[in-house]
Amino acid sequence: MDLFDQREMKNGVDPRPLADRMRPRTVGEYVGQPHLMGQGALLRRAIEEDRLFSMIFWGPPGSGKTTLARVIARETQSYFTSFSAVLSGVKEIRSVVDEAQTQWRDQRKKTVLFVDEIHRFNKAQQDAFLPHVESGLITLIGATTENPSFEIISPLLSRSRVMLLKPFSEDDLLLILERALKDEERGLGALNLGIEPEALSAIVRFSDGDARTALSTLEASATLIETGPGNEGRITRQVVEQAFQKKFLLYDKGGEEHYNLISALHKSLRGSDPDAALYWLARMLSAGEDPLFIARRMVRFASEDVGNADPRALTVAVSAMQAFQFIGLPEGELALAQAAVYLATASKSNALYAGYGRVREAVRRTGALPVPLHIRNAPTGLMKDLGYGKDYLYAHDFEDAYVPQEYLPDALKGQSYYQPTERGYEKIIRDRMSEWRKRRDRQKP
């Protein structure tokens, strides 16, 4: 059965789910994916100008892959057909090819074929497409949630453009939900429903960028509304919780609780309590906080509160952030949890943070002091004649690659800003700096 077949109306009521009814019908109605569908973007221009090319839509569930195919089906002048890779095989492919040949021979129409879950096709099935995509008889549009590099054969992939679809932003989801609430033809507008801002925000946050989930939750919430005194058709936070079958934790990403929780996480890490750190991390993630906001704070913490007491802490924090960006939710949460435990149990030092603060204050107080002549660069003869680089001592020419020499401006000679502790790796740094200081003192006249 064609993926885009419409079900018959029953008693004047469209039986399709709200998420299906609210799919945009035109390019102008489409929300989100500005890198693909914004004004002047490649895909939008291809649709508007009816100059389609073979492409693979790659994105998470609910990111609009099938919706884009439907828009193309309505807007293109080509013969459009579709099937699901789950239900079809080589026999169906041959049937499509035969029909494509007929369309071209009789009506000079190209064929656009949409294949949902194209990653489910095996190599032989994908090979069956190849010569017809290559000849231009078929313009292939595939949709997949899996990395095309691993699931699509190289010859087919090289003849297609991969279109990366991202999860919908919160603003996108808000607009989609508001349209559904107002639309009297396809949405819930005829019900005259109201919705609490907190309830709308909860649907958006817990849909994780999935438009289908957001609309399905809104529809489920609407079915739970009891009209009558005291309710008046209003969707509340409690109704949304019931629809989601999940209790939402108190959280306002722009309010006091947002700052309370990140403060609790930071102080638990500083206080070397991995259990509390994991708890507050889970609280924030469960409440819908942006995981990358937490990751950025942990990267900052690695320098501010751990510093050189454990230089590996910064590497762990950055790696956790990159790991989350690579695998996303929910698997990526574990990388953040690993980093949180490492940071909580690492040796602590704010010497770097304090030292840099003292340096910034010195710069503010003394202004742009001149660079000492002996450590200036001297690429020209004139600069050398002026004394640039004169008497500079090249450290690698001396024992242990160290030689006492002044590097600060004359006005700041002898100042010490970074004062390492005796904790963790900073003890090694402290001992090393102490030895260098002794050697400097022995050199003084």
Side-chain angles (χ1 to χ4, degrees), residues 25-159:
R25 295 163 292 190
T26 65
V27 169
E29 288 184 1
Y30 192 85
V31 174
Q33 312 300 340
H35 60 296
L36 299 178
M37 294 295 287
Q39 287 291 343
L42 175 64
L43 182 55
R44 180 166 183 151
R45 289 182 57 187
I47 296 172
E48 290 176 336
E49 298 171 8
D50 198 12
R51 300 176 63 182
L52 298 175
F53 43 83
S54 291
M55 62 191 88
I56 305 295
F57 293 151
W58 174 28
S63 58
K65 299 182 294 296
T66 303
T67 295
L68 272 177
R70 288 194 179 209
V71 170
I72 291 172
R74 286 178 174 271
E75 300 277 334
T76 183
Q77 298 300 311
S78 302
Y79 172 68
F80 195 98
T81 187
S82 61
F83 59 69
S84 171
V86 177
L87 304 174
S88 307
V90 173
K91 180 181 177 181
E92 287 77 14
I93 295 172
R94 288 175 182 153
S95 177
V96 167
V97 171
D98 291 341
E99 180 60 28
Q101 291 171 336
T102 300
Q103 289 289 330
W104 179 252
R105 183 183 63 245
D106 297 345
Q107 302 185 45
R108 281 295 184 264
K109 274 194 171 185
K110 293 184 178 181
T111 293
V112 176
L113 172 64
F114 175 68
V115 181
D116 195 25
E117 298 192 80
I118 192 171
H119 59 274
R120 300 290 187 99
F121 274 147
N122 59 35
K123 184 178 184 298
Q125 291 168 318
Q126 293 185 42
D127 279 335
F129 278 124
L130 189 56
H132 309 294
V133 171
E134 191 170 27
S135 69
L137 178 67
I138 290 176
T139 299
L140 174 67
I141 300 177
T144 179
T145 56
E146 305 295 329
N147 189 326
S149 301
F150 303 133
E151 306 297 337
I152 311 295
I153 61 173
S154 296
L156 191 57
L157 193 61
S158 69
R159 289 162 177 81

Side-chain angles (χ1 to χ4, degrees), residues 401-418:
Y402 176 77
V403 58
Q405 151 174 244
E406 188 59 61
Y407 296 96
L408 282 171
D410 291 343
L412 299 176
K413 279 185 179 180
Q415 293 296 318
S416 176
Y417 300 108
Y418 176 52

Side-chain angles (χ1 to χ4, degrees), residues 15 63 115 165-166 214 216 246 250 308 314 321 365 428:
S63 58
V115 181
L165 276 73
K166 304 174 184 178
S216 297
K246 178 177 180 178
L250 173 64
N308 286 327
L314 183 58
M321 181 173 66
R365 188 182 67 255
I428 297 175

Side-chain angles (χ1 to χ4, degrees), residues 185-213:
E185 177 191 351
R186 296 180 294 153
L188 305 175
L191 300 178
N192 293 317
L193 292 173
I195 186 167
E196 293 179 352
E198 189 179 27
L200 190 61
S201 178
I203 294 176
V204 168
R205 286 205 314 272
F206 286 90
S207 295
D208 288 328
D210 186 327
R212 187 185 302 111
T213 295

Side-chain angles (χ1 to χ4, degrees), residues 417-435:
Y417 300 108
Y418 176 52
Q419 298 164 5
T421 69
E422 294 192 353
R423 294 186 292 277
Y425 185 76
E426 275 198 330
K427 185 178 188 307
I428 297 175
I429 297 175
R430 185 182 181 91
D431 291 345
R432 189 176 295 160
M433 290 177 64
S434 177
E435 176 60 27

Side-chain angles (χ1 to χ4, degrees), residues 433-443:
M433 290 177 64
S434 177
E435 176 60 27
W436 290 338
R437 192 171 293 112
K438 291 177 182 177
R439 291 172 66 173
R440 283 200 304 272
D441 291 342
R442 286 198 298 268
Q443 182 177 292

